[in-house]
Amino acid sequence: MSETAEFMPGEPVIRQQSASPSVAERILACLAREETMMKEDGDDYRGVNPTAENIDAGLTTLIEKSMGAVCKITSPLVGCLEFAERPGRRGLYFMDTPFFSPVSITGMVCAGSQLTLFAMGVVNPSGCPLAPTVKICGNPRTMRTWGDEIDVDVSGLIDATQTLAQAAGQIADAVARCARGEQTRTEARGEGQLIVPRTLAAL
């Protein structure tokens, strides 16, 4: 999981879902550092509404958007990684990255990810040319207008025509097909970016 700013203000959930207090403190330190940096331009990011497309999709506050991100955490977070840092063991990790999708995906791929899962409410062309990006969407409106850009449609979760187990099965099947060589929509369209952020130290 990545895009540090997207987890503000979900600190209580981070504490609850971390495998240990030390993991939680490392992640929370990343959030605090990000918030301090973002306040340097005079704005309080917690008080800023989401982007125009998020508002159009029904979000009204950053808290709603953050809860949408952190509620996806169903496994314990076992570690906190710097940008492009390789994980040391199996499990779900948090990676400290900017909140621009192409940059966060680049960080995960540089850390060794061979495939990324990108859950989205509105369509996003981001991907990475070095590793497949499987795009997953549960927004019925997005599926109606941009369905040909999405790899996995889980919008049935919204109208209860699909169970969580069925949605998970769809995602697992998409990963298996990708591993067998089937192209994702992003690959087929030749989309994707490789963007490395400016950092204070060498990666």
Side-chain angles (χ1 to χ4, degrees):
M1 304 183 72
S2 61
E3 300 193 26
T4 303
E6 297 289 341
F7 290 84
M8 301 174 351
E11 290 90 344
V13 182
I14 294 293
R15 287 189 184 278
Q16 180 181 345
Q17 290 299 112
S18 293
S20 69
S22 62
V23 170
E25 291 306 318
R26 284 196 63 196
I27 297 174
L28 294 177
C30 293
L31 269 64
R33 184 172 63 242
E34 183 80 4
E35 185 169 16
T36 298
M37 180 189 69
M38 296 181 78
K39 281 184 176 179
E40 290 176 355
D41 63 3
D43 288 327
D44 182 356
Y45 187 72
R46 290 176 187 252
V48 176
N49 276 326
T51 59
E53 63 267 21
N54 291 146
I55 295 170
D56 185 55
L59 293 173
T60 59
T61 66
L62 177 63
I63 292 175
E64 286 180 348
K65 186 175 184 182
S66 295
M67 289 302 102
V70 299
C71 77
K72 299 183 181 77
I73 305 173
T74 57
S75 298
L77 289 157
V78 301
C80 177
L81 304 172
E82 296 298 327
F83 184 89
E85 180 185 354
R86 287 180 175 268
R89 61 189 176 102
R90 294 170 61 93
L92 179 64
Y93 283 81
F94 175 89
M95 180 177 283
D96 184 18
T97 75
F99 64 95
F100 186 43
S101 302
V103 184
S104 65
I105 294 174
T106 296
M108 289 187 280
V109 171
C110 287
S113 173
Q114 298 176 16
L115 181 147
T116 57
L117 302 178
F118 192 171
M120 58 185 63
V122 293
V123 72
N124 188 319
S126 298
C128 182
L130 300 182
T133 299
V134 175
K135 296 185 177 181
I136 306 158
C137 183
N139 186 325
R141 184 168 62 175
T142 299
M143 290 308 306
R144 286 194 298 270
T145 55
W146 293 97
D148 59 347
E149 298 286 340
I150 307 295
D151 297 289
V152 184
D153 174 10
V154 293
S155 59
L157 291 171
I158 302 298
D159 61 12
T161 59
Q162 183 180 40
T163 66
L164 281 173
Q166 289 170 331
Q170 277 186 267
I171 295 169
D173 184 58
V175 169
R177 293 198 311 272
C178 187
R180 291 194 296 267
E182 182 176 309
Q183 284 192 325
T184 63
R185 301 295 174 90
T186 300
E187 289 178 292
R189 296 192 184 284
E191 294 177 334
Q193 309 84 19
L194 187 68
I195 303 176
V196 177
R198 183 175 64 182
T199 62
L200 297 178
L203 296 176

